[in-house]
Amino acid sequence: MQLAIGSSSQALGTDGHRLGAMQRLETPMRRYSEDEVVDFLVVGIGSAGGVLIQRLARAGFQVVGLEAGPFWDTERDWVSDEADSHKLYWEDLRITGGDDPITLGANNSGKGVGGGSVHWAGFAPRFHPSDFRVYSEDGVGADWPITYQDLKPYYELLELEMPVSGPVWFPWGDPHGYPFGPHPMGGVGNALIRGCTKLGIGVSAGGPVAILAGSRGDRPHCIYRGFCLQGCKVGAKASTLITHVPDAIRNGAEIRDRSMAGRIRLGKNGRVDGVSYYDAEGREHLQRAKAIIVAGYAIETPRLLLNSACAGHENGLANSSDTVGRYLMVQAGNVVLGRFEELVRMYKAPPAHAMTEEFYETDRRRDFARGFAIQTVSPLPIAFAKHMMAAKGVWGWGMRRVLMDYNHWAALGLLGEILPWPDNRVTLAAERDHFGLPVAKVIFSLHENDKKLIEFGKNKVIEVMQAAGAQEVVQDSRYAHLVGGARMGRDARTSVVDGFGRSHDIPNLFVCDGSILPTQGSANPGLTIQALAARTADYLISQADDIFTSGRRDLTRPPVRRHLSPPGTHGVGIPRIRSG
Ligand SMILES: Cc1cc2nc3c(=O)[nH]c(=O)nc-3n(C[C@H](O)[C@H](O)[C@H](O)COP(=O)(O)OP(=O)(O)OC[C@H]3O[C@@H](n4cnc5c(N)ncnc54)[C@H](O)[C@@H]3O)c2cc1C
Ligand code: SF4
């Protein structure tokens, strides 16, 4: 009997493991025994972990991934139903606090193979060159230890691998075009274009978004039903579950789902040698490895490092700088809703399909540093009801009337850069989860620059909505996109990892996810997180011998290994621009 992917007890069905309407995973997964010392152990198979494990497997390494959530079979597990999609999120206990606490739960991070890329909207803009040198340019935040040019080849690779649909020319940051043609406009995109055009603001129509505008290989094109945040049962939206994980498994990677890492174990010579984790039944196991890469995202990565405190590392692993958990960031994500006389029908398009980055850069005429983007958001009815409850205070019959009017409303989102502050941080709470592990406590407060930016940005989005012709405009304040908490930097006294994600303290311990971002720009972070993962993979492949056996650190830039892309992602479909 073959074992089903993601389970040790179910037989593989005649259909194989289903990943989208047309994609089947037939290959049985390789299984390593626990006493085998594998080359790389990746904790968390989300946006970054999925790309990383795929490349390491394709390069021929023995690699195991531990994933706390399930290995989704999209036909069996998913429904196009807003109410039933919360299981895609990390909803375990977390404690929130600070002056401006982050609402934790359904709108933060994913749980399950694919992680946050399963429920993301798919907006995939690049960061701007200025994002990598915020301190040098604006005297705030931090500089990255790498430049835009270091990441550019990986942006180009990932834009083909996902792939990203968008305009032939995107004028902001480092101007470039997209490999797949743009999507047609939905009602909200039309409102954004109308409002921006009236105010003389440039706007990008139809992307950049990691959703197929035409079918490619075993993935169909978008059918414009708007369930992107519910996982996209169709398989048109990119998630590492369908873009990278299948290739990882075909190349010999093992992904152990429902496996919650609890502690990283310190072995001899100041090196880590394994991870203890809990299976679905709560049994504890230890997987040994020559090198460990943590890819659990902005809250769970610091939590795991802090929970792994041991003799000699009493404040947590990789934390001699006392930086683990600090500089946690979210982006300002205010949602502005406008009512139009004509029908808008928000749900009849992907939420992500038009944007402007006209206000992205620092403008010396404003009284704050950095900037923001404006994007389509298009909530489905339950999310819309929550926004309207907060924005208008409606409830009961009032809410019913508002919901009956849903098809006349459009929603635009602010995406504003909040700066990294040391007091915005993840620590361990006294409360424990059902494995007995201390849960994360997240403290978050806005600072003066953040508040000024949000006020200006929010008013600009309102202005655009009014210019588009909305009769009534309301807004709901919220945050989007966690990053930071294990930031990269050149200085071991002020950062956790170097520019390749290697911890300053422990030579065979790496971090590879959104937690390593020193600043966040006002672009959605997912593409950058995956591009960084591909770059870290190239480094691990180049330096594997040293990483496995010594403490030597060689920061030579690795070659860009284009041949490690998943097959069929280059030169097929309807690419507009080919990478070099
Ligand atoms: C509603 C919503 C919409 C979004 N839309 C966009 C968008 O349009 N564009 C964009 O760029 N970004 C978007 N994002 C953000 C994006 O999803 C994240 O930035 C991105 O997925 C983070 O990638 P990551 O690899 O760092 O972490 P994740 O993708 O979250 O992966 C981390 C994985 O690690 C696992 N894990 C954690 N701890 C452990 C442990 N101890 N043991 C085992 N496994 C563990 C988790 O279960 C998870 O699968 C959105 C986020 C939300 C909430
Ligand atoms: S709108 Fe397109 S990308 Fe979004 S869920 Fe539907 S098919 Fe998938």
Side-chain angles (χ1 to χ4, degrees):
M1 183 182 80
Q2 283 184 322
L3 295 180
I5 305 293
S7 165
S8 56
S9 58
Q10 293 167 307
L12 191 66
T14 46
D15 273 352
H17 195 88
R18 291 152 301 181
L19 299 172
M22 287 160 59
Q23 212 178 355
R24 302 274 185 282
L25 190 47
E26 313 283 357
T27 322
M29 182 148 48
R30 174 156 186 190
R31 303 279 175 183
Y32 290 94
S33 77
E34 274 180 16
D35 29 318
E36 274 178 89
V37 182
V38 297
D39 295 325
F40 294 106
L41 179 59
V42 183
V43 178
I45 303 300
S47 295
V51 171
L52 184 71
I53 201 169
Q54 179 266 336
R55 281 168 154 75
L56 295 176
R58 193 159 258 280
F61 290 98
Q62 294 184 319
V63 54
V64 170
L66 300 177
E67 168 51 51
F71 196 129
W72 306 110
D73 177 313
T74 61
E75 286 298 300
R76 186 192 61 204
D77 301 331
W78 292 357
V79 283
S80 294
D81 181 301
E82 196 186 359
D84 200 37
S85 67
H86 280 193
K87 61 189 176 191
L88 302 180
Y89 292 101
W90 190 289
E91 296 212 81
D92 304 16
L93 180 67
R94 288 165 169 169
I95 311 295
T96 191
D99 296 341
D100 307 283
I102 302 169
T103 305
L104 296 174
N107 195 33
N108 306 114
S109 48
K111 187 174 185 180
V113 175
S117 70
V118 163
H119 63 63
W120 74 332
F123 263 130
R126 299 179 187 180
F127 278 20
H128 288 198
S130 69
D131 288 322
F132 296 75
R133 36 172 218 268
V134 170
Y135 186 74
S136 298
E137 291 209 355
D138 295 315
V140 294
D143 284 350
W144 293 39
I146 63 172
T147 66
Y148 172 84
Q149 290 303 328
D150 289 323
L151 210 51
K152 182 173 177 171
Y154 295 98
Y155 278 139
E156 290 171 347
L157 278 185
L158 265 298
E159 283 167 357
L160 284 164
E161 291 174 23
M162 288 179 173
V164 181
S165 304
V168 73
W169 189 243
F170 189 78
W172 300 287
D174 174 26
H176 58 283
Y178 283 96
F180 272 66
H183 287 269
M185 280 300 90
V188 182
N190 278 333
L192 179 65
I193 291 171
R194 219 166 40 240
C196 285
T197 307
K198 198 152 181 210
L199 297 172
I201 300 167
V203 63
S204 167
V209 61
I211 295 175
L212 281 170
S215 63
R216 185 178 78 169
D218 56 5
R219 287 176 55 201
H221 59 78
C222 177
I223 58 167
Y224 303 104
R225 284 198 312 154
F227 283 102
C228 311
L229 271 57
Q230 286 66 40
C232 185
K233 194 176 172 94
V234 173
K237 187 192 72 172
S239 70
T240 55
L241 176 70
I242 61 172
T243 55
H244 290 79
V245 164
D247 193 50
I249 289 171
R250 289 187 191 111
N251 282 284
E254 177 183 353
I255 295 176
R256 272 176 222 160
D257 70 333
R258 301 179 197 275
S259 297
M260 172 73 185
R263 285 178 74 85
I264 302 166
R265 192 174 81 165
L266 191 71
K268 293 183 195 138
N269 306 323
R271 300 169 61 80
V272 290
D273 68 357
V275 172
S276 75
Y277 67 96
Y278 298 91
D279 66 19
E281 278 76 44
R283 291 177 300 235
E284 192 171 0
H285 305 263
L286 179 79
Q287 177 61 53
R288 296 197 297 147
K290 295 176 194 164
I292 293 163
I293 304 121
V294 185
Y297 200 22
I299 294 181
E300 294 306 317
T301 284
R303 177 188 174 204
L304 179 59
L305 294 173
L306 295 172
N307 269 334
S308 302
C310 57
H313 298 265
E314 283 77 8
N315 293 329
L317 283 187
N319 198 20
S320 62
S321 60
D322 187 30
T323 310
V324 170
R326 293 189 188 273
Y327 303 103
L328 183 81
M329 290 167 275
V330 279
Q331 286 168 320
N334 301 51
V335 174
V336 171
L337 305 112
R339 199 222 179 246
F340 290 82
E341 179 62 32
E342 67 273 21
L343 287 169
V344 177
R345 296 194 197 280
M346 282 198 275
Y347 64 93
K348 285 185 91 60
H353 66 277
M355 57 154 43
T356 175
E357 291 189 350
E358 198 89 359
F359 307 98
Y360 195 106
E361 302 286 344
T362 296
D363 181 340
R364 306 283 167 214
R365 291 167 300 181
R366 303 191 295 232
D367 63 347
F368 56 87
R370 308 307 295 161
F372 58 92
I374 304 175
Q375 303 183 333
T376 53
V377 283
S378 316
L380 291 178
I382 297 175
F384 173 72
K386 288 181 182 167
H387 289 312
M388 294 306 262
M389 193 166 64
K392 279 173 72 103
V394 287
W395 188 248
W397 280 102
M399 175 64 83
R400 188 157 184 260
R401 270 198 301 276
V402 163
L403 278 173
M404 286 167 68
D405 203 33
Y406 170 77
N407 281 332
H408 286 272
W409 286 81
L412 297 175
L414 169 73
L415 201 64
E417 178 168 356
I418 290 175
L419 294 170
W421 305 102
D423 51 344
N424 286 337
R425 64 186 297 205
V426 177
T427 57
L428 296 178
E431 290 82 353
R432 290 173 183 262
D433 66 9
H434 56 286
F435 300 117
L437 301 166
V439 304
K441 180 175 175 185
V442 179
I443 302 295
F444 190 81
S445 305
L446 294 170
H447 291 63
E448 202 188 334
N449 194 81
D450 311 324
K451 289 179 186 167
K452 287 180 177 166
L453 184 149
I454 292 171
E455 191 56 26
F456 184 94
K458 178 186 78 185
N459 289 332
K460 187 56 74 180
V461 187
I462 291 172
E463 202 183 325
V464 169
M465 192 65 101
Q466 285 166 338
Q471 304 159 313
E472 180 188 354
V473 179
V474 296
Q475 82 92 34
D476 178 18
S477 303
R478 55 153 213 164
Y479 304 121
H481 309 145
L482 300 158
V483 288
R487 72 176 183 177
M488 59 168 140
R490 287 202 181 86
D491 189 341
R493 292 165 305 179
T494 56
S495 59
V496 179
V497 297
D498 67 22
F500 290 108
R502 188 183 208 165
S503 72
H504 293 300
D505 296 353
I506 299 172
N508 64 339
L509 176 62
F510 285 71
V511 179
C512 174
D513 59 26
S515 69
I516 67 174
L517 270 54
T519 59
Q520 59 178 342
S522 39
N524 319 59
L527 173 72
T528 297
I529 290 169
Q530 293 193 32
L532 284 167
R535 182 170 178 271
T536 293
D538 275 347
Y539 181 76
L540 291 168
I541 294 164
S542 289
Q543 300 288 332
D545 289 344
D546 274 351
I547 292 166
F548 292 159
T549 56
S550 78
R552 204 170 84 87
R553 281 169 195 268
D554 179 351
L555 292 175
T556 307
R557 191 180 302 156
V560 180
R561 295 186 171 84
R562 293 186 170 81
H563 64 283
L564 294 183
S565 291
T569 57
H570 292 232
V572 290
I574 47 163
R576 291 274 201 83
I577 310 280
R578 293 180 60 120
S579 68

